[in-house]
Amino acid sequence: MLPVPKKRLGQHFLTDRHYIDRIVAAIAPQRADHLVEIGPGPGALTTPLADKLDHLHVVELDRELATALRERHAPSAVSVHESDALVFDFASLPAPLRVTGNLPYNVSTPLLFHIASFADRIVDCTFMLQKEVVDRMVAEPDSADYGRLSVMLQYRFQMRRLFLVPPGAFHPPPKVDSAIVRMVPLGADRLGAQDEARFGAVVQAAFGQRRKMLRNTLKALVTAEAFDRAGIDSQRRAETLSVAEFVALSDSAPPG
Ligand code: SAM
C-alpha cells in the first residue's frame, strides 16, 4: 500500500508500470554504475534500479519513507541518505556519478542548480520534471521559454527531452504533464566563463526584466565599452543572446 502523499514534499508517486519500465530503460543501469536516485519515495524506480545494480544510493528527505526503504533493502544493496537533496554533498558519493530521480517539482529549479555545481563528477542525469520546466531547460534563444534556467544549464550540459509522462501515471495525479530529460555534462573543451560568479550574475540580471534592453538591465555590471568589446549591441534583449554571447559579455565586463 502506498503511504499518504505529503503535498509539501511534492509527493506524487509513480504507479504506472509502463512508464516505470520506460524510465528504467532510459536510465539503462549497468551493474557497476555509481547511481544516485533523488527522492525515491515508496520506491517505484528504486526497486527495479537496485535489482540491476551492485549498489544504489538514494537521497530522501521524508523520514518515514527513508525508514521504509531501509527496511526493504539491505545496506549492502542500497545506501539510504536521509537528507535534503538541496544541500546534499554529492561529492561524498563515488564518482563518476550517474544521477536520476522523479524530482519534487516544488524545488526543481534550485535542485537543478545545486546538481549542476557537481557537473565535473557527473556522467549523466535522467530526471522527471514538470514538462514546462523541461521545455525551459532545453529552450533555444528567441523563444518564450528561453531564460536563466536554459542558459545556466546549457552552459554546463547537453540536454534532451526524451518523452512525456501524463498525470494519470501518478498517485495523486499532478495538475501538469511531466517529461523525462537527459542531461550530459559538456566536456573539458566546453566554453568556460573566466569568472563563473560574474557570468551567473550577468545572466540573472539580464533575465530579471527580460523585456528590457540589456543596456538597462546590465547597467551595474557591463559598461558600454564592454558591450563593444564583446561585439554585442546593448539594445538587444536577454532572450536573443546565445549562451556563447552571454559568456563573451561576462568575460568583457570589468571584474568587480
Ligand atoms: N520516486 C518516487 C516515485 O517516482 O514514485 C517519488 C517521487 S515524488 C515526485 C518526490 C520525492 O522526493 C518524494 O519521495 C519526496 O519525499 C522527496 N523529496 C521532496 N523534497 C526533497 C528534498 N528536498 N530532498 C530529498 N527528497 C525530497
Side-chain angles (χ1 to χ4, degrees), residues 2 6 8-15 20 23 37-46 59-63 65 81-88 101-107 111 128 169-171:
L2 281 174
K6 299 185 180 87
R8 77 186 157 79
L9 290 178
Q11 292 182 350
H12 295 274
F13 302 133
L14 258 176
T15 52
I20 294 168
I23 295 165
E37 183 192 2
I38 300 171
L45 299 171
T46 317
V59 181
E60 174 58 62
L61 183 57
D62 185 319
R63 169 160 298 176
L65 296 180
H81 306 269
E82 188 187 319
S83 172
D84 183 346
L86 285 169
V87 293
F88 183 76
N102 171 12
L103 299 186
Y105 296 171
N106 50 345
V107 291
L111 196 46
M128 174 138 63
F170 303 86
H171 170 76

